[in-house]
């Protein structure tokens, strides 16, 4: 039987690459689409055709198949955490780019989309001991590096809801915090400045047996979803016959700051030279958050397979194997930026 075809936009990115490979390996014929001119032959090695498309340019979609597409996983956009801040680029790639993707889908008769939403649309529920709901009224932060990003994301979600109501699209809008995975580049942008991601900094210190401080209330906990669970969830969305909606992505459990750091030390520190921990309760508290995930469990049948320690062990293995090196390069390629 001929496999159903799924287009993954943003296929050269952190999430898109893993999504494309997973769907290809699990019953779908994937078409990978990225902004990069070349994927260095990575997708061809997986039996996946690759197209270079600028989603800000509607004419670029003419390169793509014009029929027989079952679903679209749209993970293409600029991220404030990966690039220097550019308000126009955020709006163009996220909102206008999504409009172009939706119009392409409408024209070719594809009516299923999976789309990532920022948790900043529920920012008033963060760090206050409340469980973040799934279907409360969305809003956006008025300041900070995620303000315009969230405005653009909300507008994209509104466009998707319009195409659902007007044209009968099914839509699976996935709201999530960081999806933890190994990428050779350990840096991101936070508050408009480039810096090493905190968990990568902790892994680096632990691997060298250096001392680590645990700040603030170490019992505060947050969602920590692993990439190999997340891509399983995306497949469940592609598989589903439901109309969909907005779904929170979590595990049903959270990890405290103390558990995060002690786990990193257990997995990454040399056995004969473990990092020593100092508790600093007078320092600022860590972030905390917890999602209501009833919809992904009840409607999609999602259950995480990776415990927190399983995540760390697999992360370390991926760091050693570098399975996406052909696409992203290796960790050593980013040392010059240190």
């Amino acid at each position: 039987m001929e496999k159903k075809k799924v287009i993954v936009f943003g296929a050269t990115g952190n999430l898109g690459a893993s999504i494309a490979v997973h769907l290809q390996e699990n019953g779908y014929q994937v078409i990978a689409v990225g902004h990069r001119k070349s994927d260095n032959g990575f997708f061809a090695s997986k039996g996946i055709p690759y197209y270079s498309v600028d989603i800000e340019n509607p004419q670029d979609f003419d390169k793509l198949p014009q029929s027989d597409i079952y679903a679209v996983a749209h993970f293409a956009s600029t991220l404030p955490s990966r690039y220097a801040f550019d308000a126009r680029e955020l709006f163009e790639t996220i909102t206008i780019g999504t409009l172009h993707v939706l119009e392409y889908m409408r024209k070719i008769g594809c009516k299923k989309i999976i789309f990532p939403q920022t948790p900043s649309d529920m920012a008033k529920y963060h760090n206050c001991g409340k469980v973040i709901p799934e279907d409360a009224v969305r809003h956006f932060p008025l300041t900070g590096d995620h303000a315009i990003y969230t405005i653009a994301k909300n507008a994209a979600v509104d466009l998707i809801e319009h195409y659902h109501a007007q044209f009968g699209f099914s839509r699976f809008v996935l709201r999530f915090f960081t999806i933890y995975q190994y990428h050779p580049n350990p840096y991101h942008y936070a508050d408009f400045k480039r810096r090493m991601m905190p968990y990568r900094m902790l892994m680096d210190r632990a691997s060298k047996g250096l001392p680590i401080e645990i700040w603030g209330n170490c019992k505060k906990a947050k969602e920590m979803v692993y990439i190999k669970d997340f891509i399983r969830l995306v497949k469940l969305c592609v598989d589903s016959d439901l109309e969909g909606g907005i779904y929170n992505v979590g595990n049903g459990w959270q990890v405290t700051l103390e558990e995060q750091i002690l786990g990193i030390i257990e997995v990454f520190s040399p056995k004969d030279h473990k990092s020593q921990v100092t508790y600093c309760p007078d320092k600022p508290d860590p972030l905390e958050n917890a999602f209501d995930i009833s919809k992904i469990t009840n409607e999609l049948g999602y259950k995480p397979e990776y415990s927190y320690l399983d995540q760390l062990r697999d992360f370390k293995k991926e760091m050693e194997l570098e399975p996406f090196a052909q696409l992203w390069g290796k960790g050593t390629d980013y040392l010059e930026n240190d």
Side-chain angles (χ1 to χ4, degrees), residues 117-134:
Q117 169 65 314
T118 172
S120 294
D121 74 334
M122 293 286 162
K124 68 183 179 183
Y125 294 96
H126 298 187
N127 299 310
C128 60
K130 294 182 179 180
V131 173
I132 299 171
E134 295 187 282

Side-chain angles (χ1 to χ4, degrees), residues 100-167:
H100 292 160
V101 169
L102 291 167
E103 270 299 282
Y104 164 70
M105 293 173 63
R106 182 187 65 80
K107 290 175 182 176
I108 68 170
C110 174
K111 292 189 175 183
K112 179 181 290 189
I113 186 169
I114 297 89
F115 182 76
Q117 169 65 314
T118 172
S120 294
D121 74 334
M122 293 286 162
K124 68 183 179 183
Y125 294 96
H126 298 187
N127 299 310
C128 60
K130 294 182 179 180
V131 173
I132 299 171
E134 295 187 282
D135 294 318
V137 175
R138 287 177 285 118
H139 58 278
F140 63 91
L142 295 174
T143 59
D145 63 349
H146 273 58
I148 291 176
Y149 176 66
T150 308
I151 292 168
K153 279 284 191 177
N154 283 347
V157 171
D158 289 340
L159 285 169
I160 291 169
E161 285 300 304
H162 165 65
Y163 277 71
H164 163 67
Q166 186 74 34
F167 303 111

Side-chain angles (χ1 to χ4, degrees), residues 15-28:
L15 301 181
S18 292
I19 290 168
V21 172
H22 181 72
L23 292 176
Q24 179 74 12
E25 292 176 347
N26 287 273
Y28 291 96

